[in-house]
Amino acid sequence: SRGVSHKTVVPVRAEILLETPAITVDASAFPVLFIYFADAVPAADFRAFLDVCRDVLHRDKPFVAVVDARNAGPLADELVLAAADWLIENDSKRRELSRGLALVLATRAQRDVLKKILAQSSVGPHELFERVPDAVAWATRRLSGTTTLPTGDSPVAAKRR
């Protein structure tokens, strides 16, 4: 069989649930869910993001979200309120399935401020990080014993760095 490689190539299974210039939700490494925010998020994109989050809950499987917000712009007040409403509306299912939230932020000041805010909320298990690999390691530990664990980054992680 001349010209045919005998190597087996296993393609990376990309499962992009949402991809806009401002938000990517990547479930390729589920039960670790990668969420990337870049720039300011338009209202329509953010509402689509909340819909995708609801769809993730409908999978009825435990997960940990790794949110890379190092390049995120500010979120409009109306979208903060929409997120708060979403958290209230989906609180029971979110608490049942979410094993944690790993937030990756660019600066210590951002991490310190958000840490204080999250300490006052009912978001559940969470941790703030400077680097995505540290967040992924934490997410993996949170899932330990729950399900088959992913290894490494998501397929689109390099694109967003």
Side-chain angles (χ1 to χ4, degrees):
S1 57
R2 195 170 33 134
V4 176
S5 170
H6 293 287
K7 290 183 180 179
T8 302
V9 177
V10 179
V12 174
R13 185 183 63 88
E15 187 181 356
I16 307 302
L17 304 180
L18 177 67
E19 188 164 26
T20 73
I23 305 173
T24 299
V25 179
D26 180 357
S28 300
F30 197 84
V32 175
L33 184 68
F34 289 91
I35 303 167
Y36 304 92
F37 286 97
D39 303 319
V41 178
D45 288 2
F46 193 75
R47 292 189 198 301
F49 164 71
L50 294 177
D51 289 343
V52 165
C53 291
R54 184 174 295 113
D55 293 345
V56 168
L57 293 178
H58 289 317
R59 289 179 178 213
D60 284 325
K61 294 184 179 175
F63 68 94
V64 175
V66 175
V67 179
D68 184 351
R70 291 173 297 173
N71 298 313
L75 199 58
D77 291 345
E78 71 179 83
L79 300 181
V80 171
L81 294 174
D85 289 344
W86 186 94
L87 287 169
I88 292 166
E89 179 182 323
N90 294 282
D91 186 63
S92 177
K93 193 70 158 174
R94 182 182 56 81
R95 286 178 183 274
E96 174 189 341
L97 298 173
S98 176
R99 298 299 183 258
L101 175 63
L103 297 154
V104 184
L105 298 164
T107 69
R108 177 168 294 287
Q110 289 171 321
R111 291 188 297 276
D112 288 347
V113 168
L114 193 54
K115 188 174 188 173
K116 290 177 184 174
I117 292 169
L118 291 174
Q120 305 301 315
S121 74
S122 63
V123 74
H126 62 276
E127 193 65 54
L128 288 92
F129 299 91
E130 180 180 1
R131 298 174 350 105
V132 172
D134 297 334
V136 172
W138 181 87
T140 301
R141 286 192 304 274
R142 292 292 309 160
L143 287 166
S144 182
T146 303
T147 186
T148 303
L149 300 175
T151 57
D153 264 338
S154 79
V156 298
K159 180 175 93 172
R160 289 291 187 164
R161 285 192 191 127

